[in-house]
Amino acid sequence: MCALVLFAVLMVYFVTYLLPSYDAMIAAGGTNAEGLADEGPSWYYNGLAVVGFLVASLLFFNSLFMLGRGIRAYKEKHGGNVFGATLGMLVNRASSFGGFLSHLAMAVILVGLIGSSMYVTEKVAYVNYDEAADTAEDFTIQDFTLKYTSNDITEMENGDDILYTVNYDVYKDGQFVGSVSPAVQLVQSTQQQKLVAGVISFPTEDLFVVYKGVNKDGDFSMDVRVNPLIAEVWIGFGLLMVGVVVATLGRRGAKRKSDDSTSETASGVGNVQSLKQSSQSCGTRLVDAADPARSEGASEDGACEDGGKNLTDEKKA
């Protein structure tokens, strides 16, 4: 039931955001639209996303259910509250705890990959720039508007690199959300260029702004992308790493405990065998009553009794 609720939430996001983005990219045409068309018809491409969201929902809550059941079982066996049982399972059943957490992380990663790899909106265009007035046109993509503020040329400390930067204020639905300063870094000695992107992150999407330089007319070459659900990919990978570390350390701890238990068992068996051998040695020693060395044998028998007592004490210990 909970998986269906999560799936319904994802479908609302899909219908209200991802699907319109897909339709807009197809309608805009160009190389991006051609690339999407090559992936198959709309019903097939978007159907894969829907199936992926369903699988992710089932995996997420199945892993969460298994983790909750393990915590509940630990609580019923050892008592205490939920927080204590969770900590106890993390310490004493780390392998299971880490496995459930890793599977949960895979569900989060799957959701992120569907959005960030299948529904990226990209717009590449030249922006008219008036050098005399130091003004440029606004750049719009989806519900984001980039407003030019300034540009600057900076020589870096190494004396060889020059940074050409353009500065934009970013608005989403008319509200200011931050500023970006994408740049082109030029290495004078080799004439190689490096593009430095400006990024603004949101819970459900990231805005990537890349400045590629100017054309012969002095217009800015801009490449801007809206990458949905990229944050979920990083969150999922973080959870996955935590789960792997917990499970790995838990297995090593369990192995050490097993080795210690085996060593103690072997030591106990050795003590028992020594005790049996001592008892047999002392029990088979016969002393002749007519032997003048009787007193010496009696002394040896006393030593055997003392030795047996010592072994018995070691076994009890």
Side-chain angles (χ1 to χ4, degrees), residues 278-289 291 293-310:
S278 177
S279 299
Q280 291 173 357
S281 176
C282 293
T284 57
R285 182 175 298 152
L286 300 177
V287 178
D288 189 352
D291 191 347
R294 179 184 178 86
S295 59
E296 181 180 353
S299 176
E300 292 177 355
D301 291 344
C304 289
E305 292 176 357
D306 292 341
K309 181 179 179 181
N310 291 336

Side-chain angles (χ1 to χ4, degrees), residues 10-311:
L10 291 175
M11 288 307 300
V12 170
Y13 179 76
F14 172 79
V15 172
T16 59
Y17 184 86
L18 296 182
L19 189 58
S21 298
Y22 174 88
D23 293 336
M25 286 185 287
I26 293 295
T31 56
N32 292 332
E34 293 175 358
L36 288 177
D38 291 340
E39 298 293 335
S42 175
W43 64 267
Y44 173 77
Y45 188 85
N46 293 293
L48 288 178
V50 172
V51 172
F53 282 143
L54 178 59
V55 171
S57 301
L58 294 173
L59 178 60
F60 182 89
F61 275 101
N62 181 66
S63 302
L64 197 61
F65 171 77
M66 295 298 293
L67 179 60
R69 188 170 69 174
I71 294 173
R72 183 177 60 184
Y74 190 92
K75 178 178 177 294
E76 292 176 352
K77 183 176 180 179
H78 298 87
N81 54 30
V82 175
F83 297 103
T86 303
L87 181 60
M89 184 178 179
L90 176 61
V91 174
N92 300 307
R93 299 180 184 176
S95 182
S96 297
F97 191 98
F100 295 145
L101 187 60
S102 297
H103 283 83
L104 188 148
M106 291 301 297
V108 178
I109 293 174
L110 178 57
V111 171
L113 288 178
I114 291 173
S116 61
S117 62
M118 297 179 66
Y119 294 94
V120 178
T121 301
E122 181 180 11
K123 183 177 180 181
V124 180
Y126 285 104
V127 177
N128 293 330
Y129 172 66
D130 186 346
E131 185 175 2
D134 192 21
T135 58
E137 294 179 342
D138 294 344
F139 191 100
T140 302
I141 179 172
Q142 288 191 353
D143 49 0
F144 291 97
T145 301
L146 282 66
K147 294 183 177 294
Y148 171 81
T149 57
S150 63
N151 72 86
D152 52 78
I153 302 175
T154 306
E155 182 176 354
M156 303 187 70
E157 295 180 357
N158 59 17
D160 189 33
D161 295 358
I162 298 179
L163 205 62
Y164 298 88
T165 307
V166 292
N167 304 299
Y168 280 90
D169 286 341
V170 180
Y171 296 82
K172 182 177 182 180
D173 294 326
Q175 300 293 322
F176 176 77
V177 294
S179 300
V180 291
S181 298
V184 176
Q185 182 176 340
L186 174 65
V187 181
Q188 298 183 82
S189 58
T190 62
Q191 291 300 302
Q192 292 182 340
Q193 294 183 355
K194 176 182 177 182
L195 303 180
V196 182
V199 182
I200 298 180
S201 298
F202 302 90
T204 58
E205 61 190 1
D206 282 9
L207 176 70
F208 292 85
V209 182
V210 177
Y211 168 56
K212 296 183 176 181
V214 297
N215 61 9
K216 61 180 181 180
D217 298 324
D219 298 332
F220 298 152
S221 176
M222 305 295 296
D223 183 352
V224 182
R225 303 181 184 185
V226 178
N227 202 340
L229 301 178
I230 190 66
E232 281 66 26
V233 175
W234 294 112
I235 292 172
F237 272 114
L239 289 175
L240 180 61
M241 291 298 101
V242 172
V244 170
V245 170
V246 169
T248 302
L249 295 180
R251 283 196 296 268
R252 294 183 63 182
K255 183 178 179 180
R256 286 196 298 269
K257 290 181 181 179
S258 177
D259 292 341
D260 293 342
S261 177
T262 303
S263 177
E264 291 176 359
T265 302
S267 177
V269 172
N271 289 338
V272 171
Q273 291 177 348
S274 298
L275 179 59
K276 288 182 178 179
Q277 292 175 357
S278 177
S279 299
Q280 291 173 357
S281 176
C282 293
T284 57
R285 182 175 298 152
L286 300 177
V287 178
D288 189 352
D291 191 347
R294 179 184 178 86
S295 59
E296 181 180 353
S299 176
E300 292 177 355
D301 291 344
C304 289
E305 292 176 357
D306 292 341
K309 181 179 179 181
N310 291 336
L311 287 173

